[in-house]
Amino acid sequence: MQVYLVGGAVRDHLLGHPYHEKDYVVVGATPEQLLAQGYQPVGKDFPVFLHPKTKEEYALARTERKSGHGYHGFEFFTDSDVTLEEDLIRRDLTINAIAMDEAGQVYDPYHGQDDLAHKILRHVSDAFAEDPLRVLRVARFAARYAQYGFRIADETLALMRQLAESGELEALTPERVWKETSRALMERHADVYFEVLRECGALEVLFPEIDALFGVPQRPEYHPEIDCGIHTLMSLQQACKANYSLDVRFAVLVHDLGKALTPKDELPRHIMHEERGIQPVTDVCDRLRVPTQTKQLALAAFTLKPGTLWRLLQRLDVLRRPERVEAFAQACECDAKGRLGLENREYPQAHYLLDAMKTVRTIKASDLPSDIQGPDIGEMLIQKRIEAIADLKHELGHHHHT
C-alpha cells in the first residue's frame, strides 16, 4: 500500500502558507488491512481512519458517484484498485489535487502547481458540480488567498454561476453554510468571500438580505462611498484589519440590513433603519442557525443616549458579560470607519461605551442609602446608573451622530 499527503497541507507547503492539519490518502489497501494495523475508523459514510499514534486522518482512495439531490446523495466506491489519479480527480480545485509521497516526490496529474504559480483557483473536473457547497469553498479560498493575488478561473466562475442558478444551493444544510461562512469571516479578507458569492449569484440565494443592500444609496455627507453594500464590506474590512472576533465580524456584516427596507421615497435618508433591521437580522440568524451568542451581539441596537445606553448595556448583559460590551464597541467602530476616506478616523464613542460600562459596574445596591427597601432598590439602582452615565457624557461634552 502507498500513502500520500494530499490536499491543503501540500498546497500550503508549496505556497509557503502556514498549515496545521495533515490529511493522507492510502492507495492499494483495504479497510481490513488498516484495522489490522491499529488504525481507528472514524468515517460514517466513507472509510477514513485515524493513525494509531499521530491521530492524523488517513482516507482510502475512493471514487464518488452522485445519486440524487443534495449532500447525502453520494455513494462511495473504494477498493484496493482505485488509483491516486482517480482519487484526485474528484477533488474541488487543482491546487487541492496535488499529492506528495513520503519521500517528498510530488504527484500533480491536474497541473495544480501551474495554477499555484499563476495564482488561479480552477476546478479539476465536472465532478465539482456534485457538491454545491464547493461554490462557498471556492469563495472562501478566494478570501483566504486574496493576499497573494489569487483569482478564480473564468470557467470555474461560470460553473459556480450555473450551480447558483440551478437551485442546488437551496439543498445545502444551514450547518454547512454557516460552517463555511464562519470560517470565511475569520479570514483576513473576509469581504472577498461575499464579493465572490455576489459575483456568481450565490449571495442572492443564500443571503438575500445582504444582497439587497447593493445599489441602495446613503447620504454622501456621512457615507462618501454611498452604496450600502459597499459600506457593509468596507466595515467588514475594518473588523478583519483589527483582527476582531467572529461575533464582531458577523455583527458588522449585518449591522445595516434594515437599510434595504427603507421606503424608496425616503432615500438616501434612512430613518428608523435600526428598528427595521431587527427582522432581517433575525431571519438570517434563524435560517443559518447562527450560534446564540453571535446572534445576540448582532441584534444589539445602535443608539447611544444615557437612558437608551443603560438599556443597551443591560441588553448586552453588562454586569455579567463585560466582554460583550467591548465586542459591541468594536462593531460600532468598524461601522464608523467603513467609509470611503474615513478609514483612519478617531472613534471616541468606543471609549465612552467602555467607560460607561466601568462606571455602571461600580454602582452596587450596597452603596444606596439604607432606608431604601425592596422593589425601590432596583428602581433607584437604574436611576443612579443612568445619572452616572449622564455625568460621564457631560464630562466628555460628547456629541454623537450615527
Side-chain angles (χ1 to χ4, degrees):
M1 81 182 201
Q2 298 114 345
V3 175
Y4 301 91
L5 184 63
V6 289
V10 179
R11 174 197 70 223
D12 286 341
H13 167 73
L14 294 171
L15 197 58
H17 188 84
Y19 62 91
H20 307 293
E21 288 174 7
K22 291 180 174 176
D23 294 304
Y24 296 88
V25 70
V26 181
V27 177
T30 62
E32 293 70 30
Q33 284 171 300
L34 287 181
L35 292 170
Q37 293 182 28
Y39 283 78
Q40 298 164 309
V42 286
K44 272 201 283 291
D45 307 319
F46 45 81
V48 177
F49 298 84
L50 297 184
H51 189 283
K53 292 205 178 63
T54 65
K55 300 292 182 250
E56 289 172 335
E57 285 197 4
Y58 287 69
L60 287 182
R62 62 183 191 257
T63 59
E64 288 169 350
R65 309 197 194 321
K66 186 77 192 261
S67 59
H69 222 48
Y71 180 47
H72 295 293
F74 280 119
E75 290 168 21
F76 294 97
F77 168 75
T78 61
D79 78 19
S80 48
D81 297 339
V82 176
T83 65
L84 180 64
E85 286 72 19
E86 285 173 318
D87 180 90
L88 294 175
I89 200 167
R90 52 163 200 84
R91 294 176 184 263
D92 51 5
L93 296 171
T94 59
I95 63 168
N96 295 333
I98 310 170
M100 191 187 267
D101 68 15
E102 283 148 325
Q105 166 85 34
V106 172
Y107 297 83
D108 181 17
Y110 306 108
H111 313 297
Q113 291 175 100
D114 287 351
D115 284 338
L116 269 181
H118 295 111
K119 306 192 175 9
I120 293 171
L121 303 172
R122 188 195 311 276
H123 64 288
V124 182
S125 69
D126 294 342
F128 180 91
E130 290 179 356
D131 184 3
L133 187 77
R134 289 171 161 183
V135 172
L136 278 70
R137 270 176 64 88
V138 174
R140 178 166 64 80
F141 284 124
R144 184 174 183 186
Y145 297 123
Q147 64 199 59
Y148 301 116
F150 271 74
R151 65 176 190 82
I152 300 170
D154 296 343
E155 64 272 28
T156 303
L157 200 57
L159 186 54
M160 289 162 70
R161 198 168 282 129
Q162 205 179 311
L163 281 168
E165 287 164 8
S166 70
E168 283 247 10
L169 295 179
E170 281 95 331
L172 293 173
T173 63
E175 290 77 7
R176 298 183 83 211
V177 174
W178 174 247
K179 191 178 172 189
E180 281 303 315
T181 302
S182 56
R183 288 178 74 181
L185 278 168
M186 292 314 292
E187 296 293 351
R188 251 175 57 188
H189 297 277
D191 53 298
V192 173
Y193 174 77
F194 297 98
E195 282 279 3
V196 168
L197 292 183
R198 182 163 173 254
E199 207 180 332
C200 71
L203 195 62
E204 197 182 342
V205 178
L206 296 169
F207 302 96
E209 299 85 353
I210 298 169
D211 191 66
L213 290 170
F214 288 89
V216 176
Q218 304 164 98
R219 291 170 66 181
E221 59 269 42
Y222 302 121
H223 286 278
E225 72 289 344
I226 299 181
D227 188 289
C228 289
I230 291 171
H231 163 62
T232 292
L233 295 187
M234 289 177 76
S235 301
L236 180 56
Q237 277 168 1
Q238 291 293 326
C240 297
K241 212 165 84 178
N243 204 13
Y244 287 150
S245 68
L246 173 65
D247 291 353
V248 172
R249 294 179 193 212
F250 181 74
V252 169
L253 176 71
V254 298
H255 81 276
D256 267 350
L257 294 188
K259 288 184 177 175
L261 303 174
T262 300
K264 293 273 183 284
D265 58 345
E266 291 178 16
L267 293 171
R269 296 172 67 220
H270 294 274
I271 307 149
M272 307 268 297
H273 73 271
E274 288 93 356
E275 289 78 355
R276 283 198 191 101
I278 291 170
Q279 194 55 54
V281 172
T282 306
D283 292 345
V284 172
C285 291
D286 292 352
R287 192 172 64 244
L288 295 183
R289 306 202 184 141
V290 171
T292 310
Q293 173 183 325
T294 309
K295 177 179 174 177
Q296 283 171 340
L297 183 67
L299 282 168
F302 287 71
T303 44
L304 297 184
K305 301 183 197 81
T308 51
L309 178 54
W310 163 241
R311 284 202 298 280
L312 167 68
L313 288 171
Q314 265 184 311
R315 228 182 29 258
L316 292 169
D317 205 356
V318 59
L319 302 175
R320 284 181 310 182
R321 309 219 10 218
E323 71 285 352
R324 194 185 279 173
V325 180
E326 192 163 354
F328 177 81
Q330 291 170 344
C332 295
E333 174 207 0
C334 296
D335 173 27
K337 291 180 173 179
R339 305 174 192 220
L340 200 61
L342 299 172
E343 293 86 351
N344 300 314
R345 77 201 301 196
E346 285 296 299
Y347 189 69
Q349 293 89 323
H351 304 297
Y352 167 47
L353 190 58
L354 298 178
D355 288 346
M357 167 178 84
K358 290 183 191 123
T359 307
V360 160
R361 296 188 77 203
T362 59
I363 298 173
K364 301 187 179 67
S366 52
D367 304 331
L368 299 176
S370 54
D371 55 343
I372 290 177
Q373 291 301 312
D376 297 339
I377 293 180
E379 278 304 306
M380 185 143 191
L381 269 178
I382 289 176
Q383 211 35 56
K384 287 269 185 234
R385 284 170 178 159
I386 290 175
E387 280 167 24
I389 290 171
D391 291 345
L392 177 71
K393 186 164 184 157
H394 188 69
E395 278 168 48
L396 292 169
H398 191 85
H399 178 68
H400 177 78
H401 186 90
T402 47

